[in-house]
């Protein structure tokens, strides 16, 4: 109290002496004046900058704030387009899109849900609770839980009423004919993008274009207002294939039966329309169901008709003989000495299955003589043979508009040695795909010209390229018909009520650039029917038959006959033969 009283007393004394209060020693400034002025200026500048920024954002540049606001509540939703349907030539649906849902989540919100709801969500999605929580514990703000969920399952998930769970409309591809048509139609992935066959080849046509619309969503991701459409979706175009479902089913089932009967590794078949070049059927076995690809293997996926090459064996002999006929080097009646069944060129020996002696050119085809074909080939320049092979498409990249089609292999003629020219004349040392071989045979069925193939329905026949004379084609048809006679190498290819022609092939299988040891075989048959006016070319290949029989006439020809018989009747092709009794000798087989 005394100090306080003393202080007050001193002030009063100072005031009484005329000293101003501002001059009080206790209020004396110890800092320079300029520093206070700098601080004042900086405070003024900061407030001016804030005022300017506020004026700029609120008065001049309003778009930025609007954009930042929209980021927090506005969303652009993608509107998926419906993929076009795929149908057969008669309009039967082979592939269509069905609406499904993609279930997605905002992890932070979903994890706040009761454990029993998360457990129920996992059960509906067929995901274990541990895997579901692992997805939800992601550091992302958005995560797909499952794609292509059926509508009824999506409805049950909605009823769980879990915050942070939402759905998006999408489409799932459905294939009514399953494994029967899969190697021709193909399939799409979860993003609706074609992965195989025509789904891949015609992706741009089928896919269409997606649309979009702007919406306002709340904090939980629920749509509260539809702002409007930005771009309308445009559905993909439908695609009509050349395939006929009836013939396809016949071809697939008969091929499957043959592979199982002869305990083969695999098989392939293709059916062509001679008039238009349309592919009426294409099948492989083993196959797979495109609706359920969980256990898909590489062997099932392989489209052997298009992607596998093999030595065609004796099915190539007609091309060698046709060239000799076309260049007037021989006639069907020209006699060839095949000797005792062995023919040596340099240090290599060519053999027939038995001694044929002196036979005509027509009999060379009928008996499938390697020696006869080799002697005919060696009478011609290698270049002419090479040109014949390339004209019909061997060794050339196919232009079928089908993914995965291979070129095969025909070596340049300048490198051919005589023994190689001889062996290539009967289908060894050259590789082709089954569809290349089938197309090449249209030359004989169409009076010497060859046409492009089509996997889509044709409205008019395409123009052909003449390869051999019409007379040569007629002579070759006559020879090919003798092959299927009771005394030929393929009597099991006969069809009751119809004239049939074709050629068998049996070749050693090549693995890693060498002939497989112990011996493995590829059996084949290519034929046409009816011979009075050919309508179908049918080519069959059986890979590694192991049940004892391995010749093309034993293994592939019966499949040809079964498919041809049913296809002719399915397409109402009138019979052209009065022969209804099929005669098959007990020892029927085909020469190498």
């Amino acid at each position: 109290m005394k100090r306080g009283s003393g202080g007050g007393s001193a002030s009063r004394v100072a005031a009484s002496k005329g000293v101003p209060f501002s001059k009080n020693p206790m209020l004396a400034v110890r800092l320079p004046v300029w520093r206070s002025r700098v601080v004042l200026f900086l405070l003024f500048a900061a407030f001016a900058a804030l005022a300017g920024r506020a004026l700029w954002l609120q008065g001049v540049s309003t778009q930025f704030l609007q954009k930042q606001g929209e980021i927090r509540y506005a969303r652009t939703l993608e509107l998926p387009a419906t993929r076009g349907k795929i149908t057969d030539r008669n309009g039967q649906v082979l592939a269509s899109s069905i609406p499904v849902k993609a279930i997605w989540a905002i992890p932070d919100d979903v994890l706040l849900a009761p454990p029993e709801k998360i457990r129920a969500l996992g059960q509906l999605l067929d995901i274990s609770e541990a895997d579901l929580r692992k997805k939800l514990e992601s550091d992302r703000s958005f995560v797909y839980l499952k794609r292509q969920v059926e509508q009824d399952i999506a409805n049950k998930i909605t009823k769980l009423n879990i915050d942070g769970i939402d759905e998006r409309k999408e489409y799932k591809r459905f294939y009514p004919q399953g494994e029967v048509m899969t190697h021709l139609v193909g399939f799409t992935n979860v993003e609706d993008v074609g992965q195989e066959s025509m789904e891949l080849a015609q992706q741009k046509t089928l896919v269409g274009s997606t649309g979009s619309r702007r919406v306002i969503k709340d904090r939980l991701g629920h749509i509260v207002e539809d702002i409007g459409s930005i771009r309308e979706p445009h559905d993909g175009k439908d695609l009509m294939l050349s395939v006929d479902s009836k013939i396809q089913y016949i071809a697939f089932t008969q091929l499957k039966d043959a592979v199982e009967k002869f305990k083969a590794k695999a098989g392939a078949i293709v059916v062509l329309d001679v008039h238009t070049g349309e592919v009426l059927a294409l099948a492989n076995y083993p196959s797979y169901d495109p609706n359920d690809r969980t256990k898909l293997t590489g062997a099932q996926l392989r489209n052997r008709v298009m992607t596998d090459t093999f030595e065609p064996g004796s099915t190539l002999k007609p091309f060698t003989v046709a060239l000799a006929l076309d260049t007037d080097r021989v006639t069907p009646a020209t006699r060839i000495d095949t000797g005792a069944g062995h023919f040596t060129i340099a240090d290599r020996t060519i053999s027939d299955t038995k001694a044929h002696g002196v036979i005509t050119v027509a009999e060379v085809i009928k008996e499938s003589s390697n020696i006869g074909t080799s002697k005919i080939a060696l009478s011609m320049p290698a270049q002419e043979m090479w040109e014949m092979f390339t004209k019909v498409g061997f060794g050339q990249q196919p232009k079928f508009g089908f993914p995965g089609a291979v070129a095969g292999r025909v070596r340049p003629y300048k490198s051919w040695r005589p023994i190689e020219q001889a062996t290539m004349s009967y289908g060894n040392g050259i590789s082709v795909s089954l569809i290349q071989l089938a197309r090449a045979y249209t030359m004989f069925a169409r009076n010497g010209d060859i046409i492009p193939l089509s996997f889509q329905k044709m409205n008019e026949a395409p123009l052909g390229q003449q390869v051999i004379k019409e007379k040569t084609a007629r002579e070759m048809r006559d020879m090919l018909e003798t092959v299927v006679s009771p005394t030929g190498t393929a009597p099991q290819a006969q069809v009751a009520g119809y004239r049939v022609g074709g050629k068998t092939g049996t070749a050693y299988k090549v693995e890693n650039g060498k002939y497989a040891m112990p011996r493995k075989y590829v059996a084949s048959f290519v034929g046409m029917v009816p011979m009075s006016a050919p309508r179908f070319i049918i080519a069959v290949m059986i890979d590694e038959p192991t049940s004892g029989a391995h010749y093309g006439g034993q293994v592939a020809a019966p499949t040809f006959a079964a498919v041809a018989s049913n296809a002719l009747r399915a397409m109402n092709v009138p019979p052209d033969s009065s022969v209804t009794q099929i005669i098959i000798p007990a020892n029927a087989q085909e020469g190498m």
Side-chain angles (χ1 to χ4, degrees):
M1 293 295 294
K2 291 182 179 180
R3 286 184 180 178
S5 299
S9 176
S11 297
R12 286 193 295 271
V13 171
S16 65
K17 291 182 179 182
V19 179
F21 178 77
S22 61
K23 298 297 184 179
N24 192 314
M26 298 187 66
L27 298 178
V29 178
R30 294 183 176 86
L31 296 175
V33 176
W34 66 268
R35 293 187 64 177
S36 62
R37 291 176 179 174
V38 169
V39 171
L40 181 63
F41 175 77
L42 291 176
L43 289 173
F44 175 78
F47 277 110
L50 289 173
R53 180 62 175 168
L55 178 64
W56 173 260
L57 292 176
Q58 299 180 44
V60 180
S61 179
T62 60
Q63 293 182 352
F64 173 77
L65 291 179
Q66 290 175 349
K67 182 178 180 181
Q68 292 300 310
E70 285 187 0
I71 288 175
R72 287 156 177 80
Y73 63 80
R75 298 286 186 273
T76 299
L77 298 183
E78 183 181 276
L79 302 178
T82 304
R83 192 176 179 88
K85 294 192 298 293
I86 299 178
T87 68
D88 79 343
R89 64 186 301 106
N90 300 311
Q92 184 168 341
V93 175
L94 307 179
S96 62
S97 295
I98 56 176
V100 290
K101 298 292 184 179
I103 305 300
W104 58 271
I106 300 174
D108 290 343
D109 293 337
V110 178
L111 286 172
L112 298 176
E116 58 272 15
K117 284 193 175 184
I118 293 181
R119 194 176 303 113
L121 176 63
Q123 291 173 350
L124 288 172
L125 293 175
D126 195 23
I127 302 173
S128 68
E129 185 177 356
D131 289 341
L132 179 58
R133 287 191 175 276
K134 185 176 180 181
K135 285 188 175 185
L136 293 174
E137 288 168 359
S138 168
D139 57 0
R140 292 180 295 175
S141 60
F142 169 93
V143 62
Y144 275 117
L145 299 182
K146 192 170 184 179
R147 306 286 299 276
Q148 297 189 346
V149 176
E150 301 294 339
Q151 186 65 56
D152 59 336
I153 301 296
N155 293 338
K156 292 178 181 178
I157 292 173
T158 301
K159 290 179 180 179
L160 291 176
N161 195 28
I162 301 175
D163 290 341
I165 294 292
D166 207 340
E167 61 185 35
R168 171 179 173 267
K169 184 179 179 181
E170 59 183 11
Y171 292 95
K172 180 181 180 180
R173 209 65 165 158
F174 175 65
Y175 304 94
Q177 298 205 22
E179 65 175 355
V180 173
M181 197 70 71
T182 187
H183 286 106
L184 189 57
V185 176
F187 60 87
T188 61
N189 64 8
V190 72
E191 299 292 344
D192 214 23
V193 177
Q195 299 297 294
E196 289 289 334
S197 303
M198 296 307 291
E199 288 276 34
L200 172 58
Q202 297 297 320
Q203 168 68 13
K204 292 183 179 179
T205 300
L206 292 166
V207 71
S209 59
T210 58
S212 61
R213 66 188 177 106
R214 294 285 285 175
V215 298
I216 294 176
K217 289 190 174 186
D218 63 15
R219 182 181 66 84
L220 300 177
H222 301 142
I223 296 176
V224 297
E225 185 179 348
D226 193 334
I227 300 176
S229 174
I230 298 176
R231 183 177 65 254
E232 292 293 331
H234 294 283
D235 294 339
K237 295 181 180 178
D238 294 343
L239 178 67
M240 180 171 283
L241 300 185
S242 59
V243 66
D244 186 289
S245 292
K246 297 187 296 294
I247 299 178
Q248 176 71 20
Y249 179 78
I250 293 165
F252 177 80
T253 53
Q254 294 297 330
L255 177 69
K256 179 181 178 181
D257 289 347
V259 171
E260 293 175 349
K261 177 181 178 181
F262 295 105
K263 296 180 174 59
K265 180 179 180 180
I269 186 170
V270 61
V271 181
L272 306 181
D273 188 312
V274 170
H275 299 160
T276 62
E278 293 172 302
V279 177
L280 299 177
L282 181 156
N284 298 271
Y285 193 79
S287 186
Y288 63 95
D289 184 356
N291 298 302
D292 181 10
R293 302 189 298 274
T294 54
K295 297 181 181 179
L296 180 61
T297 65
Q300 293 173 311
L301 187 62
R302 282 171 61 183
N303 190 339
R304 300 170 192 274
V305 172
M306 307 294 298
T307 65
D308 282 19
T309 59
F310 60 98
E311 291 193 346
S314 297
T315 55
L316 211 67
K317 290 173 181 174
F319 298 94
T320 303
V321 173
L323 177 60
L325 291 170
D326 208 55
T327 54
D328 298 321
R329 288 185 171 90
V330 297
T331 68
T334 300
R335 302 180 72 80
I336 307 291
D337 185 3
T338 64
H342 301 285
F343 177 48
T344 300
I345 303 176
D347 59 343
R348 299 280 299 277
T349 299
I350 295 171
S351 302
D352 283 337
T353 54
K354 63 179 181 180
H356 298 297
V358 178
I359 56 177
T360 65
V361 169
E363 289 172 326
V364 167
I365 294 295
K366 179 183 177 182
E367 301 294 341
S368 195
S369 170
N370 294 341
I371 296 172
T373 309
S374 297
K375 288 191 171 183
I376 293 172
L378 292 173
S379 69
M380 300 182 289
Q383 182 176 352
E384 289 187 16
M385 284 182 58
W386 181 86
E387 289 174 350
M388 164 66 82
F389 293 156
T390 55
K391 281 181 181 178
V392 298
F394 300 149
Q396 308 298 304
Q397 185 64 45
K399 298 178 181 179
F400 303 148
F402 199 99
V406 295
R409 182 171 179 264
V410 179
R411 292 189 297 107
Y413 65 88
K414 291 182 179 179
S415 66
W416 293 4
R417 294 176 296 153
I419 184 61
E420 293 171 328
Q421 182 176 351
T423 57
M424 274 190 275
S425 73
Y426 57 83
N428 288 4
I430 181 174
S431 66
V432 301
S433 67
L434 190 65
I435 198 163
Q436 284 180 316
L437 192 58
R439 176 178 179 257
Y441 265 73
T442 61
M443 174 180 72
F444 305 127
R446 287 182 51 86
N447 293 330
D449 70 327
I450 192 167
I451 57 176
L453 298 189
S454 174
F455 288 89
Q456 299 183 44
K457 187 175 181 179
M458 303 284 290
N459 295 319
E460 57 183 28
L463 295 175
Q465 176 188 2
Q466 201 72 28
V467 180
I468 57 176
K469 301 170 186 174
E470 183 176 339
K471 174 175 175 289
T472 302
R474 287 198 306 269
E475 290 172 340
M476 288 307 306
R477 284 201 299 272
D478 291 339
M479 295 184 201
L480 293 173
E481 192 168 358
T482 65
V483 174
V484 187
S485 67
T487 57
T489 57
Q492 295 188 64
Q494 296 176 84
V495 177
Y498 295 90
R499 292 167 51 198
V500 178
K503 188 70 189 75
T504 53
T506 308
Y508 296 132
K509 189 172 181 180
V510 177
E511 292 182 341
N512 300 320
K514 298 179 180 179
Y515 290 115
M517 294 297 292
R519 294 297 190 194
K520 298 178 182 179
Y521 299 91
V522 176
S524 58
F525 184 87
V526 186
M528 61 193 74
V529 65
M531 293 304 285
S532 58
R535 175 67 187 279
F536 303 130
I537 295 286
I538 303 174
V540 182
M541 182 273 289
I542 306 296
D543 185 12
E544 288 186 37
T546 60
S547 65
H550 63 267
Y551 288 120
Q554 298 170 311
V555 176
T559 302
F560 164 89
V563 174
S565 176
N566 285 281
L568 288 164
R569 289 166 175 78
M571 301 295 284
N572 296 316
V573 178
D576 65 342
S577 172
S578 59
V579 177
T580 58
Q581 186 67 32
I582 302 299
I583 301 174
I584 301 176
N587 62 343
Q589 68 173 20
E590 192 266 334
M592 293 292 289

